Amino acid sequence: MKKQFLKYKLTFFLLILILFVSSPLFAHTINYSLEKEPAGTILVYYLKLGFHHIVPGGIDHILFVSSLCLLSNKLKTILWQATAFTVAHSVTLALSMKNIIVVPSAITEPIIAMSIVFVVIENILFSELKAWRILIVFMFGLIHGMGFASALNEIGLPPNKFYTSIIAFNGGVELGQATIIVIIFSSLVAAWGKKPWYRARIVYPLSAVIALIAGYWTIARLFFN
């Protein structure tokens, strides 16, 4: 079963690469209402916007980050994955808002849901961090970054504070992500991670529930949006 799952991951990898090659470009919207605001106001506004996009607004991103915390009970494992995810979505967020590479939300949203399913299934099949897991999380982070860009594009960016806005928004996303990691690690992993029943009673049931939710989202976003 593990070998078959690895084949599915390779296929999904190739799909993501194809999407990058064939991504259509479109211009980001402009937020004229903030054009004349001082840099401090812009910084606070987009920092809050990025945080709220994760907590409480980004339930799919919350589930993805939460799933990263369930692979093992080692903090190092969580930090490696979180770093790969952060670097990846930071890159595509910036590139997307610069119109270098942008994938429509009709494509990114189903893939984001599928990414959650892949991660939680791997949480069930494996108990230790594998080298490919970092690469998988990185690739998924690229897609999540495009999702962040799509949300940011709905608000728009002030034309004279482009980089300030991007950095602030991404900083807010990171704060939201860090908040989720702290909550999951302190309430589950640190509390019960070393118990012999941790995977059977915590990891497996939570992963199964998350897989069902994300599976439903995948179908809904593919066929009913």
Side-chain angles (χ1 to χ4, degrees), residues 148-193:
F148 296 147
S150 178
L152 183 56
N153 194 53
E154 295 178 4
I155 304 297
L157 299 172
N160 57 339
K161 298 290 191 303
F162 179 87
Y163 291 106
T164 301
S165 305
I166 288 288
I167 293 172
F169 181 84
N170 195 63
V173 168
E174 296 313 313
L175 287 176
Q177 175 181 308
T179 299
I180 298 304
I181 291 175
V182 169
I183 291 174
I184 297 298
F185 184 80
S186 60
S187 62
L188 294 179
V189 183
W192 299 312

Side-chain angles (χ1 to χ4, degrees), residues 139-152:
M139 292 296 290
F140 287 150
L142 296 176
I143 300 299
H144 281 250
M146 294 179 190
F148 296 147
S150 178
L152 183 56

Side-chain angles (χ1 to χ4, degrees), residues 24-120:
L25 303 179
F26 59 86
H28 63 77
T29 58
I30 298 176
N31 191 335
Y32 291 105
S33 63
L34 295 175
E35 186 174 8
K36 297 182 180 180
E37 294 294 333
T41 300
I42 300 294
L43 185 67
V44 172
Y45 177 83
Y46 282 96
L47 187 69
K48 289 181 177 179
L49 187 66
F51 183 85
H52 290 158
H53 184 66
I54 300 296
V55 182
I59 184 63
D60 48 357
H61 300 297
I62 289 175
L63 290 185
F64 183 82
V65 173
S66 298
S67 300
L68 299 182
C69 300
L70 298 176
L71 178 63
S72 77
N73 57 12
K74 298 177 182 177
L75 180 59
K76 183 178 179 180
T77 298
I78 298 174
L79 294 179
W80 270 112
Q81 296 174 94
T83 300
F85 184 64
T86 294
V87 172
H89 75 64
S90 298
V91 169
T92 47
L93 172 60
L95 291 179
S96 294
M97 297 311 296
K98 289 294 289 184
N99 307 321
I100 296 175
I101 180 169
V102 180
V103 177
S105 59
I107 295 177
T108 59
E109 290 304 311
I111 296 179
I112 288 173
M114 284 188 284
S115 73
I116 302 171
V117 176
F118 264 73
V119 168
V120 292

